[in-house]
Amino acid sequence: MVTVEQQRVPRKRTYLMCAPRHFAVEYAINPWMDVTAPVDPELAVKQWDRLRETLLGLGHEVQLLAPEPGLPDMVYAANGAFTVDGTVYGARFKHHQRTAEAAAHRAFYESQGWRFIAPNETNEGEGDFAYLPEAHGGLILAGYGFRTELPAHAEAQEALGRPVVSLRLVDPRFYHLDVALASIDDANIVYYPGAFSAASQKVLAQLFPDAVLADADDALAFGLNLVSDGANVMLNSEATRLASRLETAGYTPVPVELTELKKGGGSVKCCIAELRH
């Protein structure tokens, strides 16, 4: 039973997505990518469309980034930049296969009149950064260990004027922060402790004593690669236990099937960047 205190209120969001028109698994840059496993391109587009329609149906705005040939991972729009209060901290990808995506994102933001700050350090946008505007006065959580380099955290703090808490990822299956942790409202998170170093687990426990914790099975089903508007939580349909835990905490799980896009090592959140004006 949800108490009055647990009544969750959604906040309208603006999101950026990129259609999987050129999506394929042509190389392997994370443990989930298998070049021998065929992708159904038509189903990938259908599942992506359903995700976009789900966001629109919940009252959110979705802007679109034009997909470019030769960049099969552009569908993972979360990785191209990180926005806070109208400022964009651009991405600089670790792997050469994705390098050109950063320029496509920069062109989008500059065409929209955003204040864009080009990075000198390797970082993969919202793949490794999460913003909680009401946690401790406005806090950025930042992952490192596999893709984003630690110096990018200091660079992001200077660019965005928000304190950045560095969290070390230790399991290659959780190569980005957004497959191990997500904001579920403006002040709280859900995460899988086993993805983080012992010290980072202590930091998270101190900062977020009321966090929802996920188990290994749901984390490995990409359950934490989710998007929440503060009340409705869009998450991978396979993460059933996590959906129950979120429901117990007063959120409304909205299961989404993304079997094809999982083959590239991503799910709901990877496909969605939040535009924070």
Side-chain angles (χ1 to χ4, degrees):
M1 177 121 152
V2 178
T3 66
V4 175
E5 290 78 22
Q6 286 178 310
Q7 290 292 344
R8 309 295 179 183
V9 180
R11 176 168 64 76
K12 185 182 174 181
R13 316 282 176 125
T14 302
Y15 296 119
L16 178 68
M17 297 180 70
C18 181
R21 200 176 303 150
H22 308 291
F23 176 66
V25 179
E26 297 172 350
Y27 46 78
I29 57 172
N30 68 57
W32 303 99
M33 299 177 91
D34 178 357
V35 294
T36 66
V39 169
D40 182 336
E42 195 178 319
L43 183 56
V45 171
K46 263 187 197 162
Q47 292 178 339
W48 178 90
D49 257 332
R50 208 167 298 134
L51 174 60
R52 184 181 59 86
E53 286 161 8
T54 300
L55 296 171
L56 293 170
L58 290 168
H60 303 297
E61 182 186 341
V62 178
Q63 296 186 21
L64 296 176
L65 180 68
E68 297 185 9
L71 297 174
D73 282 344
M74 261 189 88
V75 64
Y76 303 124
N79 303 152
F82 177 54
T83 65
V84 174
D85 294 340
T87 297
V88 185
Y89 176 53
R92 185 175 177 180
F93 287 87
K94 179 182 174 75
H95 296 287
H96 70 87
Q97 292 95 332
R98 301 195 65 185
T99 302
E101 292 179 43
H105 281 264
R106 179 174 186 163
F108 167 83
Y109 285 105
E110 289 183 336
S111 74
Q112 302 283 316
W114 289 76
R115 176 174 174 251
F116 188 92
I117 296 177
N120 293 311
E121 306 293 346
T122 300
N123 83 88
E124 299 200 347
E126 279 198 338
D128 275 319
F129 290 107
Y131 183 52
L132 291 106
E134 291 179 15
H136 309 280
L139 194 65
I140 295 169
L141 300 180
Y144 72 102
F146 298 102
R147 297 290 188 86
T148 295
E149 299 290 341
L150 191 54
H153 296 184
E155 190 175 61
Q157 181 167 284
E158 285 300 304
L160 302 168
R162 293 287 181 277
V164 173
V165 175
S166 296
L167 302 167
R168 186 159 73 92
L169 297 162
V170 295
D171 184 329
R173 296 171 299 179
F174 305 105
Y175 60 95
H176 271 158
L177 183 72
D178 72 0
V179 289
L181 176 152
S183 63
I184 40 176
D185 57 41
D186 288 343
N188 203 10
I189 61 170
V190 56
Y191 69 100
Y192 169 55
F196 298 93
S197 68
S200 293
Q201 289 181 41
K202 287 181 182 175
V203 170
L204 286 169
Q206 180 180 328
L207 291 174
F208 300 98
D210 300 321
V212 176
L213 301 183
D215 63 23
D217 287 347
D218 282 341
L220 291 169
F222 286 89
L224 291 162
N225 195 240
L226 60 80
V227 167
S228 174
D229 61 14
N232 305 291
V233 182
M234 286 131 281
L235 78 166
N236 196 288
S237 55
E238 293 170 47
T240 50
R241 272 198 299 271
L242 182 56
S244 297
R245 289 180 189 184
L246 289 165
E247 199 163 21
T248 300
Y251 299 89
T252 303
V254 182
V256 181
E257 197 174 321
L258 285 176
T259 55
E260 295 312 294
L261 293 171
K262 267 180 66 182
K263 292 173 181 175
S267 187
V268 176
K269 174 60 196 165
C270 285
C271 294
I272 301 168
E274 184 169 348
L275 303 182
R276 302 177 188 87
H277 289 281

